[in-house]
Amino acid sequence: MSRPGANWFTLIPVAVGALVAVPVSATVYLTIQSAQQAMFPGSTFVSHPLAFTPDQRRTIAKASGVGSFESVQRVWDVRSGNRRVGWFIVDRVLGKHEMITYAVALTPDGTVQRVEILEYRETYGREIRKPAWRQQFVGKRFGSVVQLGKDIKNISGATLSSRHVTDGIRRLLVTYQLLLRNA
């Protein structure tokens, strides 16, 4: 025979789980392969990952003003025949709470050619995918001003996403200058 209220106690874990569960919604806009082909159609991609030494991390952080980044950078040397046509870099930055995965196409001399948002996990701030916002980075290179509120316009409601992608691209330009320019 069951006690009165016994069923209530068996429902507590289910009810608590339902209250604590936070919906995580990741939208994949482009895979790495589809972004590569969109940014460098018909090219060959040779993986060229950069595993940063502690000294390289410190130098990149100091030069870019961005201290938090992954210890291995995903980079591809983009080729057409035997000729380098650019660099393809995939990076991740924190939005407000979740990671944003994006790709940057650089010309052989390190100039931003294109930026694509590959995966966005935040509830708000997807406006950073708008072509006009991403277009602001085209033509930027090491030494260019790449700063939110100066040459890169902020997006209301996407301030942290805008700031962190901007900081990430500035860090990638420093990474190019220090480690890829003469590769």
Side-chain angles (χ1 to χ4, degrees), residues 134-148:
R134 292 181 290 112
Q135 185 68 27
Q136 296 177 92
F137 296 99
V138 173
K140 300 292 186 186
R141 57 185 308 129
F142 177 76
S144 298
V145 176
V146 182
Q147 188 172 351
L148 194 67

Side-chain angles (χ1 to χ4, degrees), residues 40 78 84-88 104-114 138-141 173 176 180-181:
F40 293 102
V78 186
R84 175 176 292 139
V85 293
W87 294 97
F88 178 84
V104 176
L106 298 178
T107 63
D109 71 351
T111 303
V112 175
Q113 180 174 303
R114 188 166 167 180
V138 173
K140 300 292 186 186
R141 57 185 308 129
L173 292 173
Y176 165 84
L180 296 173
R181 180 175 52 123

Side-chain angles (χ1 to χ4, degrees), residues 3-182:
R3 297 185 343 229
N7 289 337
W8 184 81
F9 287 108
T10 59
L11 293 177
I12 288 176
V14 173
V16 170
L19 291 174
V20 176
V22 177
V24 176
S25 168
T27 303
V28 176
Y29 297 104
L30 292 167
T31 65
I32 290 173
Q33 294 76 20
S34 62
Q36 287 173 330
Q37 289 310 308
M39 294 170 136
F40 293 102
S43 296
T44 303
F45 296 83
V46 179
S47 182
H48 187 90
L50 298 174
F52 301 122
T53 67
D55 284 343
Q56 289 170 332
R57 287 180 64 80
R58 280 190 291 278
T59 302
I60 292 167
K62 184 176 180 182
S64 68
V66 181
S68 178
F69 54 96
E70 295 179 359
S71 59
V72 176
Q73 186 68 62
R74 294 183 290 174
V75 177
W76 287 261
D77 181 359
V78 186
R79 298 281 179 169
S80 178
N82 291 328
R83 183 176 61 91
R84 175 176 292 139
V85 293
W87 294 97
F88 178 84
I89 306 173
V90 173
D91 194 37
R92 292 178 353 129
V93 294
L94 184 64
K96 183 173 184 178
H97 302 289
E98 304 293 336
M99 300 305 286
I100 300 166
T101 304
Y102 65 100
V104 176
L106 298 178
T107 63
D109 71 351
T111 303
V112 175
Q113 180 174 303
R114 188 166 167 180
V115 175
E116 289 291 343
I117 304 301
L118 305 184
E119 191 168 339
Y120 195 85
R121 295 167 185 85
E122 295 284 356
T123 305
Y124 301 101
R126 283 177 165 67
E127 295 86 356
I128 65 169
R129 285 198 64 246
K130 290 185 176 180
W133 190 79
R134 292 181 290 112
Q135 185 68 27
Q136 296 177 92
F137 296 99
V138 173
K140 300 292 186 186
R141 57 185 308 129
F142 177 76
S144 298
V145 176
V146 182
Q147 188 172 351
L148 194 67
K150 292 207 176 200
D151 63 321
I152 305 297
K153 293 178 183 165
N154 186 26
I155 299 172
S156 180
T159 300
L160 292 176
S161 296
S162 300
R163 178 176 316 286
H164 295 160
V165 169
T166 300
D167 291 348
I169 292 172
R170 186 175 59 252
R171 177 178 41 78
L172 294 179
L173 292 173
V174 168
T175 300
Y176 165 84
Q177 183 69 17
L178 297 175
L179 302 173
L180 296 173
R181 180 175 52 123
N182 296 318

